[in-house]
Structure formats: structure tokens, C-alpha cells
Amino acid sequence: MSSHLTRRTVLSATAATAALGAVSAVGAPRAQAAAPALPNGTSQDKVLVIGMDGLRHDRIDAADAPHLKAMMREGTYGTSLLYAGPMAATSSGPGWSTLSTGVWPDKHGVRDNSFAGKNYDRYPGLLARIAQVRPRLSTYAAVDWKPLDTQGTVTAGADAKLVLDGDADGYTAHDATIADRAEAVIREQNPDVLFVYFGDSDIVGHDAGAASQAYLDVIARQDAYVGRLRAAIEARPTYAAERWTVLVATDHGHLDGGGHGGSAIEERRTFVLATGPGIAAGARPIDTRLVDVVPTVLKQLGIPVDPAWGLDGKPIQERSTDPFDALHGSLTTRVDETGIPASVLGFTHTPPRGWSVINNAMGTGGTTEWRGWAFATDEFWSRTQRDQSRELNVRARGVFAVADSDEWADTAHSGTFDSTLVTPAYDVTGKSAVRLDFTTFYRQEGAQTAQVLASFNGGTPTVVKSYTSDVISQPQSLTVPVPAGASTVGFRFRYTGTNNWYWVIDGVRTSTS
């Protein structure tokens, strides 16, 4: 164990209660206890991560939230959807584990609030990771949902932490206390990385629902805490010489009537909001995912990501170069689908420049949106039918390609779904091998087929990979020898089936050697 891990300071729930004394009805402590002592920070690059439990991002616009809205103008704001069962429930255990580790539940192992199967030894939380690779950084965590501490999800590795019980004084009081203590740490000490948790948004979401005025009110209260913490940063006497990044994110959404854990879009809503050096103002990336918090923090701290860590995220400031994402502006609304709101823009049959779709063997009729390979977003595609595992498409980002014979066959049709997605021709002159990388999500059933084919110099395509069993949203890498004299290669993704399942492709790229 490093020396960094042995110098942690803990203000326990009991000590905190004794130090604070009575708590008023509005949650403001009558007496302010001293903040836990931190070792002096060593970096001019500093990060504050604010976690707001169960905060549905589409309710921020309706709330009195000037500080969050200012951050949206000043920084980068990306929204996305979570998984659902059987990968994991849309609950706090999996959500905070995903945010803190930078990997999806199929890696970190937390599928519900029991934390059974957690794999933090292999995929540690953010502060534990920092303690391993940059132990001289000064780190602080404040939480009042105890499993974030007792399970090792968030506070592990922190030099000092505030942990409140969350059942004696009330959650509103704890949000206020956490904000007070974090503000004091920022103003009076020299931390490098802070994780500050506000839980009242989730409690109000359960009690009153996300469609309630009470939910808007709690967003406003937490927004005020955000403003106080940002003001404390700017009031630091050393602020001019420091480079601060502030991130705000959540672990899951809430139903209009309250609650979460299931597969509804409202339960799956998450966001990552970031301001800081090198983070574009006013950017609205379509490819953000919750796993992006950790690599964003590491980049801002100047800590290179080791590929051996197996992170699933990428820094939020990295712009997408995926050709499918270029289609976002041309996406249209539903045609035959009835479960997708008419306002949701989410699909097109027009491929990116240089790509094509071959449908000369495609059956006739069927659901218009899925007649051959289509290009869609997670929200549009997963709304077609809940609980058929479309929610597990977590490693696709933004716009992806999908062949869905199941949805196609829901409308009158004849023949077989038989469609081929064709890449541009890539230069392989003088190379011995070409490598094809992509992300895939495939579910196998019956006689359906899924093949990757390669064509050199426009010749007859040959099969280089066939899928015969499920691949649940995983990166793929295929290396194909380049024949002597070949100058170009094109790849094809051919899917056939009728009322079977589907095949998703995203993030296609090639390299040569």
C-alpha cells in the first residue's frame, strides 16, 4: 500500500453529527465544524467532480439553475443513455461505479445496489486510480450515501473524506453540510482533486417524481451549491496560477412519477458537463458517455491513460471522427414506428460519404426505418422495443449502423432481410496487412447470418469473419493479409435474417502495416 493511502483523514458520520450540533429545518448547520485536513496539493491542474444523484438532465432547462446553465454555455455538455438489465439496473450502485471507474458494468461487475461481483481491484475508482499513479496529488471526497464509501466506489484512495449516514439528519441537511465543507476545503486548503456528492435530487425524485415542482426546486438548491463551489475556486488567492476543471454528472435518471432501476428512457438519462482548460465552450457532442468522466479528469491532470487499464471512456474534449456521426444533422423522424415520439430525430438510410448500402437481395415491404442497413441513435433505436437488449448497446456512440430484421419484420413484408454495408476503398499499397477495428453488438438467432468480407482492388469479396453467437457490445479487431500487388481494400458487413435479431456496427477504422 502506498504512503498516499495511509494518510487519509476521515470525518465519520458520528463525528460529523457531534461537530455540527443541531441542524435546522432548512438544512443549514448551526455550527460549522472544521473541514478535514488535507495534505498540501502539488499541482496547478485541479479538478472538482460534482455528482448529483438521479438528476434527469432534461429537467434542468425548466429549473432555476443559472450556474449549471452558465457552465453549459462556458463548457461542453453531452447527454446519453445508460444500459438496462440484464447488464445492470439503472440504480446508483452501477451508475456511480460506471462514472467512477470509467468502464461499463460488464467490467466493473456492479449490477445492482448489492454490489455483488464488484471488480474494483481490476477497475478501481477515480481517486483510487489517482492514488496509484499520482500519489502526491491531494484528494478529497464527500458523500452521504454510505455504499459510496463502504463499498469502495468513490472515497477509496482519498486523502480526506467526509462520510455522512444519510438517515439521521435528513438528506437536505447533508447536501448543505457537504457543500459547506467542500467550500471550506477549496477556500482554506490546497486540494488537487475533489469528488463532491449531492443526494437530495434522488430522494426528491423518489418522493415526488421528476415531473414535480419539488424536483425543480431541488435542482435549484443544488445549482446554488454549484455556484458556491465555483465562487470558492475563483476566490482562491492562487487562482490566477491554477488551471481548474469542473465536471458535473449523474448516475441515472428518474421516471416522471418517481423511481428508477428499469429500462425506460427517463431512467436511463445521464449527462456529463465540463468546463476547464481545453474544453470547448458551448459544445454539444453527440458521442458522450458516462464512462468519459474518468479519462476527462485524467487528461486534465496530465495523467496518460495506460491501455492496460481497459478504460471504456474517452476525454469529453476529444471530438468524434466517426463517419457515422457526420450523419447527425441529416437524421429524420419516425415513419412506421409508433413507440418513438414524433419529435425524436434519429434515423436515416443515407450512408456517409464514400460508403454505400447494397439492397438488391433485400425483401420487400417491412418497417420503413429498418429496410436494410440504417443509421440511428441510441435513443431512437432502443425506443423501438424495450427489454430486447437494445439497451445494452453501450459501446456504440452517437450515430451507428444497424441492421434489424426483428423490427423490419413487424410490418407486412415478403422475402428475407439481406443487406450489405460497404466501406470506402482504403489504400493498402505496399503494405503486408490491413487491420479493421470496429465496435459490434450482435444477437444470434436461427438461420440469420452476419459476415465481414474483404475485397481487394474491387475483386470478389471473401469472408474474413462470421458471427455465430452473441457479441454484446464489444470492440473487434480483424487483421487481413494484403495480397501481392493489391492497392486498395474495401470491407463489407452483410446481414441476413427474417424476424430474428440485429447487428450494430460503429467506430469503423483501418490501419496498415
Side-chain angles (χ1 to χ4, degrees):
M1 180 179 292
S2 72
S3 60
H4 181 81
L5 293 177
T6 63
R7 55 193 179 113
R8 288 179 294 179
T9 302
V10 182
L11 185 63
S12 70
T14 302
T17 301
L20 286 169
V23 178
S24 72
V26 295
R30 295 178 184 172
Q32 177 64 50
L38 279 167
N40 192 44
T42 60
S43 176
Q44 291 178 310
D45 295 303
K46 298 179 183 294
V47 179
L48 166 63
V49 179
I50 301 171
M52 294 179 170
D53 202 307
L55 180 59
R56 217 174 83 185
H57 62 73
D58 60 326
R59 297 294 282 153
I60 296 174
D61 284 344
D64 179 16
H67 301 291
L68 289 172
K69 292 172 184 177
M71 288 185 66
M72 292 175 190
R73 294 190 298 271
E74 298 165 11
T76 294
Y77 175 53
T79 64
S80 66
L81 299 177
L82 287 178
Y83 39 75
M87 179 174 284
T90 50
S91 300
S92 288
W96 292 118
S97 297
T98 298
L99 184 152
S100 184
T101 63
V103 301
W104 294 110
D106 58 359
K107 287 184 178 179
H108 64 62
V110 179
R111 290 173 168 80
D112 53 38
N113 286 352
S114 74
F115 289 82
K118 66 180 181 181
N119 192 18
Y120 297 153
D121 288 342
R122 174 69 178 86
Y123 302 103
L126 172 63
L127 300 184
R129 177 76 71 188
I130 290 173
Q132 291 174 355
V133 300
R134 199 67 64 84
R136 292 184 61 81
L137 293 181
S138 177
T139 60
Y140 172 78
V143 303
D144 71 353
W145 190 51
K146 291 295 286 293
L148 298 181
D149 176 61
T150 57
Q151 296 293 338
T153 309
V154 167
T155 64
D159 291 316
K161 59 182 180 178
L162 171 67
V163 182
L164 300 175
D165 277 338
D167 60 359
D169 301 324
Y171 279 89
T172 300
H174 289 162
D175 274 7
T177 301
I178 285 171
D180 288 344
R181 206 66 51 80
E183 182 181 8
V185 167
I186 292 169
R187 287 183 179 273
E188 301 167 8
Q189 302 190 55
N190 187 26
D192 294 317
V193 183
L194 305 92
F195 186 100
V196 177
Y197 168 87
F198 296 131
D200 202 22
S201 40
D202 187 55
I203 300 306
V204 174
H206 281 288
D207 290 345
S212 68
Q213 181 60 46
Y215 193 73
L216 297 182
D217 292 343
V218 76
I219 294 175
R221 290 197 298 273
Q222 291 182 337
D223 178 82
Y225 299 145
V226 172
R228 285 173 50 191
L229 297 183
R230 294 185 78 202
I233 289 171
E234 294 174 5
R236 288 170 56 83
T238 52
Y239 176 69
E242 297 170 344
R243 296 176 292 272
W244 276 89
T245 296
V246 179
L247 293 96
V248 183
T250 192
D251 57 334
H252 55 72
H254 258 285
L255 296 171
D256 282 354
H260 58 87
S263 60
I265 292 290
E266 293 76 16
E267 299 167 277
R268 297 171 58 209
R269 293 202 187 282
T270 61
F271 69 94
V272 179
L273 171 60
T275 62
I279 297 176
R284 299 290 185 269
I286 65 169
D287 62 332
T288 300
R289 289 292 202 177
L290 192 58
V291 290
D292 294 342
V293 171
V294 168
T296 299
V297 172
L298 296 178
K299 182 177 179 65
Q300 296 301 92
L301 293 172
I303 299 174
V305 171
D306 186 339
W309 297 346
L311 298 186
D312 288 322
K314 69 178 183 64
I316 196 172
Q317 56 268 54
E318 287 187 4
R319 297 282 73 84
S320 171
T321 59
D322 181 66
F324 301 149
D325 288 351
L327 300 173
H328 188 257
S330 62
L331 300 179
T332 62
T333 56
R334 71 187 190 195
V335 179
D336 294 333
E337 289 284 1
T338 58
I340 302 171
S343 60
V344 175
L345 298 170
F347 97 99
T348 181
H349 281 297
T350 303
R353 183 186 300 273
W355 291 67
S356 61
V357 176
I358 300 173
N359 281 337
N360 55 15
M362 183 72 195
T364 58
T367 305
T368 298
E369 289 89 335
W370 317 114
R371 192 174 295 148
W373 280 96
F375 306 92
T377 63
D378 192 19
E379 178 151 353
F380 191 92
W381 185 54
S382 64
R383 278 185 181 271
T384 60
Q385 181 63 55
R386 280 173 58 179
D387 300 321
Q388 290 186 343
S389 297
R390 291 177 181 86
E391 298 89 356
L392 311 189
N393 190 34
V394 293
R395 290 184 176 86
R397 292 173 175 262
V399 181
F400 48 84
V402 55
D404 190 335
S405 73
D406 176 60
E407 283 298 304
W408 173 73
D410 282 354
T411 304
H413 63 279
S414 63
T416 299
F417 187 110
D418 189 335
S419 185
T420 302
L421 175 64
V422 184
T423 73
Y426 303 108
D427 184 13
V428 293
T429 303
K431 303 299 182 179
S432 60
V434 58
R435 175 171 149 173
L436 176 69
D437 289 288
F438 57 98
T439 297
T440 200
F441 178 31
Y442 176 71
R443 291 202 64 192
Q444 174 68 36
E445 182 186 59
Q448 74 181 32
T449 65
Q451 297 176 326
V452 183
L453 304 96
S455 171
F456 290 94
N457 291 351
T460 302
T462 59
V463 176
V464 296
K465 173 73 174 180
S466 293
Y467 289 93
T468 57
S469 59
D470 291 355
V471 179
I472 307 300
S473 193
Q474 294 295 327
Q476 306 286 283
S477 182
L478 306 177
T479 299
V480 182
V482 175
S487 58
T488 64
V489 64
F491 290 98
R492 301 183 177 208
F493 302 89
R494 184 185 180 192
Y495 173 86
T496 70
T498 301
N499 199 26
N500 297 123
W501 284 116
Y502 41 73
W503 192 16
V504 172
I505 298 294
D506 196 29
V508 178
R509 61 191 185 278
T510 61
S511 56
T512 55
S513 58

